Amino acid sequence: MKRKITLKQIARELEVSISTVSKALRNSPEISEDTKQKVQAFAKLYNYRPNNIALSLKNRKTNTIGIIIPEIVHHFFSKVIRGVELVANKRGYNVIIGLSNESFSKEVINMEMLANGSIDGFIISISKETQQLQDYHHFNETMSQGMPIVMFDRVVSDIKCDKVIVDDLNGAKNAVEKLIANGCKSIALITTKDYVSVGKLRTQGYLEALENYKIQPKAELILKIDDTLDYETHLEALEDEIEQLFKSNRHIDGIFAVNELYALTAMKVARKLGLEIPKDLQVIGFTDGVLSKHSTPGLTTVSQHAQQMGERAADLLIDKLENKIETEEEEFQTIVIETNLVERESTK
Amino acid sequence: MKRKITLKQIARELEVSISTVSKALRNSPEISEDTKQKVQAFAKLYNYRPNNIALSLKNRKTNTIGIIIPEIVHHFFSKVIRGVELVANKRGYNVIIGLSNESFSKEVINMEMLANGSIDGFIISISKETQQLQDYHHFNETMSQGMPIVMFDRVVSDIKCDKVIVDDLNGAKNAVEKLIANGCKSIALITTKDYVSVGKLRTQGYLEALENYKIQPKAELILKIDDTLDYETHLEALEDEIEQLFKSNRHIDGIFAVNELYALTAMKVARKLGLEIPKDLQVIGFTDGVLSKHSTPGLTTVSQHAQQMGERAADLLIDKLENKIETEEEEFQTIVIETNLVERESTK
DNA sequence: TTGTAGGCGTTATCAG
DNA sequence: CTGATAACGCCTACAA
């Protein structure tokens, strides 16, 4: 088992100095053709590659991006990662992942771990718990140490950094307007509790759409799900709550749900209650997932372009890393990704 | 913007030597209580944390695991990553990801990039293209440099390394035997081309189950899908091929598919042709995905325990990294994860 | 009890 | 054209 070869070993073998080897390998004009040939041939033979860690230390630059997300087993987030990875690799960076698992403390620990020299900058979507606690000290500390952060999707307006978000408000508004245009008179909303920034915005979009069409929103048509419970419990409760919603409001003919699972569950419950989709009930969900495409009937969705978000976030971060304009007064960008409606069979 | 503080800076501020600071922070008995107090207080104030990169260089150990997978937007792989991350974090390691995107050259490039000092070891599931080309030099080179590799799911028997696999053969066999026990007389198989190791094993399981029950396998009931085409094309072709299968073999009353999408597509086509599930046709898929659970009817599946695979792979790798028994004759383990059948409505 | 020196692998600068 | 030296940040054996 031969360890990776180093400059020092090459130097010793060829009886030249380390710096000569280094220069020869970088094709420096300082070095004679002869020596270059010899060194390069030897290096090739032993498959020499500079040690990244040593380079990172020397250059104070790791060429690595840290991405912190709440959950990886989730279509949206894995697509974002794919986007980040794509751009990062193209631009010579690696990607290291940290999962917060929706926990504040894991988010903090993970960030601290990576911030100690392992990476050059962060791409982050914050955990639900962090959103609830509204404790953002770890972001501010990281940035004050000169490490840039790009937030995506779940962002915090108080934090001054670059951001990539989807146009949640208009996405939701368009969806609901679509339902109205399709003839729905009584549209229910299935959303999350308000501390989730995106849930809040989508709720707002729903309300604005109604207002545009002079429809009075009704509190009993808005179902706010508590998604802090564990997954299974949450799902069971979900079904019951939706069933309750339908039973108490027989006239519902449209559903807008802030995510895929809520929309599918609504369809499932509706079918159970004998409603036909899209004849009796039309449904639209907000998502970038796979379920919608393969459900029966196919679910019409507001597409979030997750991969594109990842790409934009990565570009934003790397641009910042490579410019490093030492302006005291930094200005930050917020990129808004427009959504679009993917129509399937759950709407007319 | 204050950069991260270093030992050197603390030393200068406190007018002591760097090594005194270093020792004081590690609570060495060599240092006087007084000095320790002073140094530790100062370090805490400035939130000193040792630089990971410097530590990595010094210790020749990065405490980082590299994971190379063909695709991240895939339930199976993201679950594996979650398992790896979970164990890695618990044991003090970070995880860095590389996506091969099913391409041989991307796999090689990604591995080389990470092998140059960035990580201590690899967890890998090889790309389809690599399986086709059967070119494994990059694995052998990596290992010959003393960097351990753990392969999972898509493994290569020629390569001497630790492995974590699911019991594809028995998983498939059990599934098919279940169909037989449920009364199916004519069971079709929807699988991939043989170069995909797992597809091959699952096919074998299918055949063994039939044999056990003295059922003569029929070539016309085995559909081998070419999955090297691009995704959309592949899907369209899939539907046509399955429709053809049903039409040419009206007596089919059971389907075993080597993945989720094939199974769902089969159900979809069957429904289109007026078959009722599970009355006329029973279906089982091999998968760890989400679609099965939310499809209607729910798809019975052979569960792969992806997260567990990730956990075992990470433990295996870290054990190896931390033992480093310098035995010339290394012995390698292959951990086999047993599958189990998750019964839903697509079987009786 | 504290400090010095050397080394992890690399590159840049400067001297020979 | 080649080599010695310092530095990136940290740790540790050894010297004072």
Side-chain angles (χ1 to χ4, degrees), chain A residues 202-258:
Chain A
R202 291 171 197 171
T203 301
Q204 202 181 326
Y206 164 84
L207 294 173
E208 287 191 13
L210 294 187
E211 191 174 359
N212 278 356
Y213 282 79
K214 311 279 182 233
I215 300 174
Q216 189 68 14
K218 296 192 189 124
E220 66 267 28
L221 292 186
I222 299 181
L223 188 56
K224 292 194 182 184
I225 307 293
D226 183 0
D227 59 351
T228 52
L229 306 171
D230 82 284
Y231 191 72
E232 292 298 333
T233 320
H234 167 224
L235 271 196
E236 264 179 52
L238 182 61
E239 252 177 74
D240 292 345
E241 291 193 70
I242 293 176
E243 186 160 347
Q244 204 47 52
L245 174 73
F246 279 125
K247 285 188 172 161
S248 321
N249 302 278
R250 294 281 176 186
H251 51 287
I252 291 176
D253 55 3
I255 294 270
F256 173 61
V258 299

Side-chain angles (χ1 to χ4, degrees), chain B residues 284 287 299-303 305 340-344 346-347:
Chain B
I284 299 183
T287 186
L299 175 68
T300 294
T301 58
V302 180
S303 166
H305 305 293
N340 65 302
L341 209 59
V342 179
E343 298 190 41
R344 300 204 181 83
S346 68
T347 49

